[in-house]
């Protein structure tokens, strides 16, 4: 969506909000599909931030990337995998049962997104 379209949608959102009407009533009176006004309202904050040159969401720390060293305990009798995850100020120490390695792989894929 280009700048002009965002500005046009934001003007309509401002008009709708200033009207004090329900979305359905305003949309019908202004010949705007209800789904359109709902979508515009959902995107309004991000569009406004983009037009102002800022990020709409909260500042997030960059995701760590690169090689992760892993040590395997010498005893084969271990029934779980121990993971230490550090992200910013948060630390997670996880002991995952070896019987559920597929679920662990799924979790690690999600964390990597």
């Amino acid at each position: 969506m280009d700048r002009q379209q965002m500005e046009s949608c934001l003007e309509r959102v401002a008009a709708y909000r200033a009207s004090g009407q329900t979305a359905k009533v305003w949309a019908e009176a202004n010949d705007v599909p209800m789904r359109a006004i709902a979508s515009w309202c959902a995107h309004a904050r991000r569009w406004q931030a983009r037009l102002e040159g800022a990020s709409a969401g909260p500042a997030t720390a960059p995701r760590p990337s690169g090689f992760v060293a892993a040590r395997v305990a010498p005893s084969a009798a271990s029934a779980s995998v121990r993971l230490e995850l550090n992200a910013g100020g948060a630390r997670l120490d996880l002991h995952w049962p070896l019987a559920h390695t597929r679920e662990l792989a799924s979790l690690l894929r999600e964390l990597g997104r």
Side-chain angles (χ1 to χ4, degrees), residues 3-102:
R3 183 178 188 87
Q4 186 176 1
Q5 290 171 321
M6 280 190 274
E7 288 172 345
S8 174
C9 292
L10 287 172
E11 287 173 6
R12 289 183 170 193
V13 168
Y16 152 64
R17 290 180 175 161
S19 74
Q21 298 174 327
T22 65
K24 183 178 181 181
V25 170
W26 187 89
E28 287 174 357
N30 290 279
D31 197 31
V32 173
M34 180 64 193
R35 292 179 77 171
I37 191 64
S39 175
W40 298 340
C41 288
H43 293 290
R45 202 170 111 218
R46 284 179 292 210
W47 288 341
Q48 189 64 47
R50 184 189 289 174
L51 292 174
E52 293 170 358
S55 172
T60 58
R63 290 188 168 197
S65 63
F67 177 76
V68 176
R71 287 181 279 168
V72 178
S75 80
S78 176
S80 66
V81 174
R82 180 172 176 254
L83 298 169
E84 287 183 27
L85 302 171
N86 295 305
R91 179 173 178 220
L92 174 66
D93 193 11
L94 182 66
H95 295 267
W96 198 277
L98 284 175
H100 300 283
T101 54
R102 283 189 178 161

